[in-house]
Amino acid sequence: MATNNAVTFNRLITDRAEGLLEDTKDFAAMRAFGVATVDKRMGEFPVFKIEDLYRNSLRKRAVGAQYAETGTDLKKVAFTCADYGVEEPIAYETMEEMGEGYKQQIADKLMLDAYRNYEQVVCDFAFTDANWALVMTGAATTNLANKQFAKFSDGANNVSELFRELKSAVKLQCGRKPNTALMTSDVMDALLENAFIRDMIATSRDQIIDEAFLAKVLGLDNIYVTEAIVNDANLGAKDMKYMHEKTCLLYWDGQAGRNSLTAPCAMKVVRLNYGDTNSASGVGIYEREDEARDVQILRVKQRFVPIVQYKEAAVLLKQCI
């Protein structure tokens, strides 16, 4: 009986499938957060506590006296990379009938599945209330004390002023103003329809009105828009919808060294290094033979976990429109 467990990494087919990254603008999570690559599935790393970063510990030293001493108590952030994957059997007969390129097409589809899975997991995590110290809900007017903000769909709302207030609120929590936003596509559309933004567009010399333009208006370094569509129906059926709606995470992204495990930021992704089979996207496509079933099996897998480094360094905005 044939052995079904001999799995080999296919570098050629993986590299070709990774070329699809050029066509995955809808998947914002890959760009929105730093990715720290590690060599072990689980572990922990030290980071400064917010309260220690902003305490003035220096004291005036009297002549002949010793310097005052201070203490720094670092906290540990734990991670455990989850293993995501799926296999698809391809009949030898089908490959022969369909001709050259059929196997690569299947690999391309599996790679897109992996991108979609990454988007789903990371954005689900980013948009989870429990992960952040400050969560606010859209209302008719802004009332920071009640954790409410004026909905972006209110055409008269000065969203630039609102973002200034939100950034100041976060800075009082962690000492850093948010410089980045991850938002759903309907929130982006609502912002571009806002009267204040439209006035800025009318007087702007910019030829392209996009995320970069809006980031400039709102005083941010970057805006990332998740537009991913998911089919939640069973195999053979279709129920297409956006993965996420009406939500925006305004957060501090360290930028400098953002792919380092210890570089300070609100949130990042920890990804397991596959060694010799590691790919640019962290996705690997593998194959194995199952002669008993007369098929070749393609397997796609990725191992990662999103983590919060500083929960105080962001504000999650829900029901934005």
PDB file of all heavy atoms in Angstrom, residues 130-158:
ATOM      1  N   ALA A 130     -12.145  43.296  23.538  1.00  0.00           N
ATOM      2  CA  ALA A 130     -11.352  42.920  24.707  1.00  0.00           C
ATOM      3  C   ALA A 130      -9.857  43.173  24.542  1.00  0.00           C
ATOM      4  O   ALA A 130      -9.126  43.191  25.541  1.00  0.00           O
ATOM      5  CB  ALA A 130     -11.593  41.444  25.034  1.00  0.00           C
ATOM      6  N   ASN A 131      -9.409  43.390  23.323  1.00  0.00           N
ATOM      7  CA  ASN A 131      -7.981  43.575  23.089  1.00  0.00           C
ATOM      8  C   ASN A 131      -7.499  44.995  23.343  1.00  0.00           C
ATOM      9  O   ASN A 131      -6.291  45.244  23.342  1.00  0.00           O
ATOM     10  CB  ASN A 131      -7.628  43.168  21.658  1.00  0.00           C
ATOM     11  CG  ASN A 131      -7.726  41.672  21.438  1.00  0.00           C
ATOM     12  OD1 ASN A 131      -7.506  40.898  22.367  1.00  0.00           O
ATOM     13  ND2 ASN A 131      -8.058  41.263  20.224  1.00  0.00           N
ATOM     14  N   TRP A 132      -8.447  45.934  23.559  1.00  0.00           N
ATOM     15  CA  TRP A 132      -8.055  47.339  23.640  1.00  0.00           C
ATOM     16  C   TRP A 132      -8.590  48.005  24.908  1.00  0.00           C
ATOM     17  O   TRP A 132      -9.675  47.678  25.386  1.00  0.00           O
ATOM     18  CB  TRP A 132      -8.546  48.085  22.402  1.00  0.00           C
ATOM     19  CG  TRP A 132      -8.073  47.415  21.153  1.00  0.00           C
ATOM     20  CD1 TRP A 132      -8.825  46.729  20.245  1.00  0.00           C
ATOM     21  CD2 TRP A 132      -6.717  47.301  20.702  1.00  0.00           C
ATOM     22  NE1 TRP A 132      -8.033  46.220  19.247  1.00  0.00           N
ATOM     23  CE2 TRP A 132      -6.725  46.544  19.500  1.00  0.00           C
ATOM     24  CE3 TRP A 132      -5.499  47.770  21.183  1.00  0.00           C
ATOM     25  CZ2 TRP A 132      -5.561  46.257  18.791  1.00  0.00           C
ATOM     26  CZ3 TRP A 132      -4.330  47.481  20.479  1.00  0.00           C
ATOM     27  CH2 TRP A 132      -4.371  46.736  19.299  1.00  0.00           C
ATOM     28  N   ALA A 133      -7.822  48.959  25.416  1.00  0.00           N
ATOM     29  CA  ALA A 133      -8.218  49.655  26.637  1.00  0.00           C
ATOM     30  C   ALA A 133      -9.331  50.663  26.384  1.00  0.00           C
ATOM     31  O   ALA A 133     -10.122  50.961  27.284  1.00  0.00           O
ATOM     32  CB  ALA A 133      -7.006  50.366  27.250  1.00  0.00           C
ATOM     33  N   LEU A 134      -9.403  51.185  25.163  1.00  0.00           N
ATOM     34  CA  LEU A 134     -10.401  52.198  24.835  1.00  0.00           C
ATOM     35  C   LEU A 134     -11.224  51.737  23.635  1.00  0.00           C
ATOM     36  O   LEU A 134     -10.686  51.548  22.545  1.00  0.00           O
ATOM     37  CB  LEU A 134      -9.724  53.543  24.527  1.00  0.00           C
ATOM     38  CG  LEU A 134     -10.642  54.727  24.202  1.00  0.00           C
ATOM     39  CD1 LEU A 134     -11.630  54.974  25.340  1.00  0.00           C
ATOM     40  CD2 LEU A 134      -9.825  55.984  23.925  1.00  0.00           C
ATOM     41  N   VAL A 135     -12.526  51.560  23.858  1.00  0.00           N
ATOM     42  CA  VAL A 135     -13.459  51.177  22.803  1.00  0.00           C
ATOM     43  C   VAL A 135     -14.589  52.190  22.798  1.00  0.00           C
ATOM     44  O   VAL A 135     -15.193  52.467  23.840  1.00  0.00           O
ATOM     45  CB  VAL A 135     -14.032  49.761  23.030  1.00  0.00           C
ATOM     46  CG1 VAL A 135     -15.003  49.394  21.907  1.00  0.00           C
ATOM     47  CG2 VAL A 135     -12.902  48.741  23.122  1.00  0.00           C
ATOM     48  N   MET A 136     -14.872  52.760  21.615  1.00  0.00           N
ATOM     49  CA  MET A 136     -15.900  53.790  21.516  1.00  0.00           C
ATOM     50  C   MET A 136     -16.923  53.397  20.459  1.00  0.00           C
ATOM     51  O   MET A 136     -16.623  52.667  19.528  1.00  0.00           O
ATOM     52  CB  MET A 136     -15.266  55.144  21.183  1.00  0.00           C
ATOM     53  CG  MET A 136     -14.233  55.601  22.204  1.00  0.00           C
ATOM     54  SD  MET A 136     -13.576  57.250  21.858  1.00  0.00           S
ATOM     55  CE  MET A 136     -15.039  58.237  22.168  1.00  0.00           C
ATOM     56  N   THR A 137     -18.140  53.923  20.625  1.00  0.00           N
ATOM     57  CA  THR A 137     -19.252  53.577  19.742  1.00  0.00           C
ATOM     58  C   THR A 137     -19.792  54.833  19.074  1.00  0.00           C
ATOM     59  O   THR A 137     -19.920  55.883  19.720  1.00  0.00           O
ATOM     60  CB  THR A 137     -20.380  52.893  20.535  1.00  0.00           C
ATOM     61  OG1 THR A 137     -19.837  51.757  21.221  1.00  0.00           O
ATOM     62  CG2 THR A 137     -21.489  52.430  19.606  1.00  0.00           C
ATOM     63  N   GLY A 138     -20.132  54.720  17.805  1.00  0.00           N
ATOM     64  CA  GLY A 138     -20.689  55.843  17.069  1.00  0.00           C
ATOM     65  C   GLY A 138     -22.051  56.261  17.601  1.00  0.00           C
ATOM     66  O   GLY A 138     -22.875  55.433  17.954  1.00  0.00           O
ATOM     67  N   ALA A 139     -22.259  57.587  17.684  1.00  0.00           N
ATOM     68  CA  ALA A 139     -23.514  58.144  18.187  1.00  0.00           C
ATOM     69  C   ALA A 139     -23.805  59.430  17.422  1.00  0.00           C
ATOM     70  O   ALA A 139     -23.126  59.761  16.450  1.00  0.00           O
ATOM     71  CB  ALA A 139     -23.412  58.394  19.689  1.00  0.00           C
ATOM     72  N   ALA A 140     -24.824  60.174  17.872  1.00  0.00           N
ATOM     73  CA  ALA A 140     -25.186  61.413  17.188  1.00  0.00           C
ATOM     74  C   ALA A 140     -24.135  62.496  17.389  1.00  0.00           C
ATOM     75  O   ALA A 140     -23.861  63.298  16.489  1.00  0.00           O
ATOM     76  CB  ALA A 140     -26.547  61.905  17.689  1.00  0.00           C
ATOM     77  N   THR A 141     -23.530  62.531  18.582  1.00  0.00           N
ATOM     78  CA  THR A 141     -22.520  63.540  18.879  1.00  0.00           C
ATOM     79  C   THR A 141     -21.336  62.883  19.607  1.00  0.00           C
ATOM     80  O   THR A 141     -21.449  61.781  20.127  1.00  0.00           O
ATOM     81  CB  THR A 141     -23.082  64.665  19.773  1.00  0.00           C
ATOM     82  OG1 THR A 141     -23.585  64.083  20.981  1.00  0.00           O
ATOM     83  CG2 THR A 141     -24.197  65.413  19.057  1.00  0.00           C
ATOM     84  N   THR A 142     -20.230  63.608  19.642  1.00  0.00           N
ATOM     85  CA  THR A 142     -19.052  63.102  20.335  1.00  0.00           C
ATOM     86  C   THR A 142     -19.136  63.402  21.828  1.00  0.00           C
ATOM     87  O   THR A 142     -19.388  64.545  22.234  1.00  0.00           O
ATOM     88  CB  THR A 142     -17.771  63.731  19.765  1.00  0.00           C
ATOM     89  OG1 THR A 142     -17.631  63.345  18.395  1.00  0.00           O
ATOM     90  CG2 THR A 142     -16.540  63.280  20.539  1.00  0.00           C
ATOM     91  N   ASN A 143     -18.925  62.375  22.631  1.00  0.00           N
ATOM     92  CA  ASN A 143     -18.871  62.518  24.085  1.00  0.00           C
ATOM     93  C   ASN A 143     -17.825  61.528  24.582  1.00  0.00           C
ATOM     94  O   ASN A 143     -18.139  60.370  24.868  1.00  0.00           O
ATOM     95  CB  ASN A 143     -20.239  62.255  24.717  1.00  0.00           C
ATOM     96  CG  ASN A 143     -20.264  62.563  26.205  1.00  0.00           C
ATOM     97  OD1 ASN A 143     -19.266  62.408  26.901  1.00  0.00           O
ATOM     98  ND2 ASN A 143     -21.416  63.000  26.696  1.00  0.00           N
ATOM     99  N   LEU A 144     -16.581  61.975  24.655  1.00  0.00           N
ATOM    100  CA  LEU A 144     -15.496  61.070  24.998  1.00  0.00           C
ATOM    101  C   LEU A 144     -15.668  60.472  26.382  1.00  0.00           C
ATOM    102  O   LEU A 144     -15.264  59.332  26.629  1.00  0.00           O
ATOM    103  CB  LEU A 144     -14.152  61.793  24.896  1.00  0.00           C
ATOM    104  CG  LEU A 144     -13.751  62.305  23.507  1.00  0.00           C
ATOM    105  CD1 LEU A 144     -12.359  62.923  23.543  1.00  0.00           C
ATOM    106  CD2 LEU A 144     -13.800  61.194  22.470  1.00  0.00           C
ATOM    107  N   ALA A 145     -16.276  61.233  27.296  1.00  0.00           N
ATOM    108  CA  ALA A 145     -16.476  60.723  28.652  1.00  0.00           C
ATOM    109  C   ALA A 145     -17.398  59.504  28.659  1.00  0.00           C
ATOM    110  O   ALA A 145     -17.227  58.596  29.469  1.00  0.00           O
ATOM    111  CB  ALA A 145     -17.051  61.819  29.551  1.00  0.00           C
ATOM    112  N   ASN A 146     -18.349  59.481  27.731  1.00  0.00           N
ATOM    113  CA  ASN A 146     -19.271  58.345  27.612  1.00  0.00           C
ATOM    114  C   ASN A 146     -18.816  57.342  26.554  1.00  0.00           C
ATOM    115  O   ASN A 146     -19.577  56.439  26.184  1.00  0.00           O
ATOM    116  CB  ASN A 146     -20.681  58.835  27.270  1.00  0.00           C
ATOM    117  CG  ASN A 146     -21.329  59.577  28.419  1.00  0.00           C
ATOM    118  OD1 ASN A 146     -20.929  59.398  29.577  1.00  0.00           O
ATOM    119  ND2 ASN A 146     -22.301  60.417  28.120  1.00  0.00           N
ATOM    120  N   LYS A 147     -17.591  57.540  26.046  1.00  0.00           N
ATOM    121  CA  LYS A 147     -17.005  56.661  25.039  1.00  0.00           C
ATOM    122  C   LYS A 147     -17.874  56.609  23.775  1.00  0.00           C
ATOM    123  O   LYS A 147     -18.156  55.559  23.217  1.00  0.00           O
ATOM    124  CB  LYS A 147     -16.788  55.258  25.601  1.00  0.00           C
ATOM    125  CG  LYS A 147     -15.773  55.237  26.741  1.00  0.00           C
ATOM    126  CD  LYS A 147     -15.494  53.833  27.237  1.00  0.00           C
ATOM    127  CE  LYS A 147     -14.444  53.867  28.353  1.00  0.00           C
ATOM    128  NZ  LYS A 147     -14.158  52.516  28.870  1.00  0.00           N
ATOM    129  N   GLN A 148     -18.292  57.795  23.344  1.00  0.00           N
ATOM    130  CA  GLN A 148     -19.080  57.932  22.124  1.00  0.00           C
ATOM    131  C   GLN A 148     -18.404  58.950  21.201  1.00  0.00           C
ATOM    132  O   GLN A 148     -17.769  59.902  21.664  1.00  0.00           O
ATOM    133  CB  GLN A 148     -20.504  58.403  22.441  1.00  0.00           C
ATOM    134  CG  GLN A 148     -21.328  57.404  23.245  1.00  0.00           C
ATOM    135  CD  GLN A 148     -22.703  57.928  23.568  1.00  0.00           C
ATOM    136  OE1 GLN A 148     -22.916  59.139  23.707  1.00  0.00           O
ATOM    137  NE2 GLN A 148     -23.660  57.015  23.679  1.00  0.00           N
ATOM    138  N   PHE A 149     -18.553  58.726  19.907  1.00  0.00           N
ATOM    139  CA  PHE A 149     -18.032  59.671  18.918  1.00  0.00           C
ATOM    140  C   PHE A 149     -19.089  59.883  17.844  1.00  0.00           C
ATOM    141  O   PHE A 149     -19.926  59.015  17.594  1.00  0.00           O
ATOM    142  CB  PHE A 149     -16.738  59.149  18.301  1.00  0.00           C
ATOM    143  CG  PHE A 149     -16.896  57.896  17.473  1.00  0.00           C
ATOM    144  CD1 PHE A 149     -17.089  57.975  16.102  1.00  0.00           C
ATOM    145  CD2 PHE A 149     -16.873  56.638  18.072  1.00  0.00           C
ATOM    146  CE1 PHE A 149     -17.246  56.826  15.334  1.00  0.00           C
ATOM    147  CE2 PHE A 149     -17.025  55.490  17.320  1.00  0.00           C
ATOM    148  CZ  PHE A 149     -17.207  55.577  15.955  1.00  0.00           C
ATOM    149  N   ALA A 150     -19.057  61.063  17.220  1.00  0.00           N
ATOM    150  CA  ALA A 150     -20.015  61.371  16.163  1.00  0.00           C
ATOM    151  C   ALA A 150     -19.747  60.485  14.955  1.00  0.00           C
ATOM    152  O   ALA A 150     -18.612  60.398  14.480  1.00  0.00           O
ATOM    153  CB  ALA A 150     -19.917  62.844  15.781  1.00  0.00           C
ATOM    154  N   LYS A 151     -20.762  59.820  14.481  1.00  0.00           N
ATOM    155  CA  LYS A 151     -20.605  58.881  13.362  1.00  0.00           C
ATOM    156  C   LYS A 151     -20.028  59.579  12.134  1.00  0.00           C
ATOM    157  O   LYS A 151     -20.354  60.725  11.849  1.00  0.00           O
ATOM    158  CB  LYS A 151     -21.944  58.237  13.013  1.00  0.00           C
ATOM    159  CG  LYS A 151     -22.461  57.274  14.067  1.00  0.00           C
ATOM    160  CD  LYS A 151     -23.697  56.541  13.582  1.00  0.00           C
ATOM    161  CE  LYS A 151     -24.147  55.491  14.594  1.00  0.00           C
ATOM    162  NZ  LYS A 151     -25.302  54.699  14.111  1.00  0.00           N
ATOM    163  N   PHE A 152     -19.207  58.862  11.411  1.00  0.00           N
ATOM    164  CA  PHE A 152     -18.581  59.413  10.221  1.00  0.00           C
ATOM    165  C   PHE A 152     -19.607  59.721   9.131  1.00  0.00           C
ATOM    166  O   PHE A 152     -19.364  60.536   8.253  1.00  0.00           O
ATOM    167  CB  PHE A 152     -17.535  58.441   9.665  1.00  0.00           C
ATOM    168  CG  PHE A 152     -16.412  58.131  10.618  1.00  0.00           C
ATOM    169  CD1 PHE A 152     -15.611  57.031  10.422  1.00  0.00           C
ATOM    170  CD2 PHE A 152     -16.153  58.955  11.703  1.00  0.00           C
ATOM    171  CE1 PHE A 152     -14.565  56.740  11.289  1.00  0.00           C
ATOM    172  CE2 PHE A 152     -15.117  58.683  12.579  1.00  0.00           C
ATOM    173  CZ  PHE A 152     -14.322  57.572  12.367  1.00  0.00           C
ATOM    174  N   SER A 153     -20.734  59.035   9.191  1.00  0.00           N
ATOM    175  CA  SER A 153     -21.765  59.240   8.169  1.00  0.00           C
ATOM    176  C   SER A 153     -22.523  60.542   8.374  1.00  0.00           C
ATOM    177  O   SER A 153     -23.337  60.931   7.531  1.00  0.00           O
ATOM    178  CB  SER A 153     -22.743  58.063   8.167  1.00  0.00           C
ATOM    179  OG  SER A 153     -23.213  57.781   9.480  1.00  0.00           O
ATOM    180  N   ASP A 154     -22.294  61.226   9.487  1.00  0.00           N
ATOM    181  CA  ASP A 154     -22.871  62.548   9.700  1.00  0.00           C
ATOM    182  C   ASP A 154     -22.116  63.528   8.820  1.00  0.00           C
ATOM    183  O   ASP A 154     -20.962  63.874   9.097  1.00  0.00           O
ATOM    184  CB  ASP A 154     -22.745  62.934  11.183  1.00  0.00           C
ATOM    185  CG  ASP A 154     -23.277  64.342  11.467  1.00  0.00           C
ATOM    186  OD1 ASP A 154     -23.730  65.010  10.509  1.00  0.00           O
ATOM    187  OD2 ASP A 154     -23.226  64.768  12.624  1.00  0.00           O
ATOM    188  N   GLY A 155     -22.744  63.979   7.770  1.00  0.00           N
ATOM    189  CA  GLY A 155     -22.071  64.799   6.772  1.00  0.00           C
ATOM    190  C   GLY A 155     -21.505  66.095   7.314  1.00  0.00           C
ATOM    191  O   GLY A 155     -20.552  66.644   6.765  1.00  0.00           O
ATOM    192  N   ALA A 156     -22.088  66.611   8.436  1.00  0.00           N
ATOM    193  CA  ALA A 156     -21.636  67.889   8.978  1.00  0.00           C
ATOM    194  C   ALA A 156     -20.519  67.727  10.004  1.00  0.00           C
ATOM    195  O   ALA A 156     -19.953  68.717  10.479  1.00  0.00           O
ATOM    196  CB  ALA A 156     -22.817  68.619   9.622  1.00  0.00           C
ATOM    197  N   ASN A 157     -20.180  66.502  10.350  1.00  0.00           N
ATOM    198  CA  ASN A 157     -19.182  66.240  11.380  1.00  0.00           C
ATOM    199  C   ASN A 157     -17.782  66.583  10.870  1.00  0.00           C
ATOM    200  O   ASN A 157     -17.372  66.121   9.816  1.00  0.00           O
ATOM    201  CB  ASN A 157     -19.256  64.764  11.781  1.00  0.00           C
ATOM    202  CG  ASN A 157     -18.172  64.366  12.756  1.00  0.00           C
ATOM    203  OD1 ASN A 157     -17.654  65.200  13.491  1.00  0.00           O
ATOM    204  ND2 ASN A 157     -17.830  63.096  12.760  1.00  0.00           N
ATOM    205  N   ASN A 158     -17.068  67.375  11.630  1.00  0.00           N
ATOM    206  CA  ASN A 158     -15.680  67.704  11.279  1.00  0.00           C
ATOM    207  C   ASN A 158     -14.803  66.541  11.726  1.00  0.00           C
ATOM    208  O   ASN A 158     -14.341  66.491  12.868  1.00  0.00           O
ATOM    209  CB  ASN A 158     -15.252  69.011  11.960  1.00  0.00           C
ATOM    210  CG  ASN A 158     -13.875  69.478  11.506  1.00  0.00           C
ATOM    211  OD1 ASN A 158     -13.016  68.669  11.141  1.00  0.00           O
ATOM    212  ND2 ASN A 158     -13.655  70.781  11.527  1.00  0.00           N
TER     213      ASN A 158
END
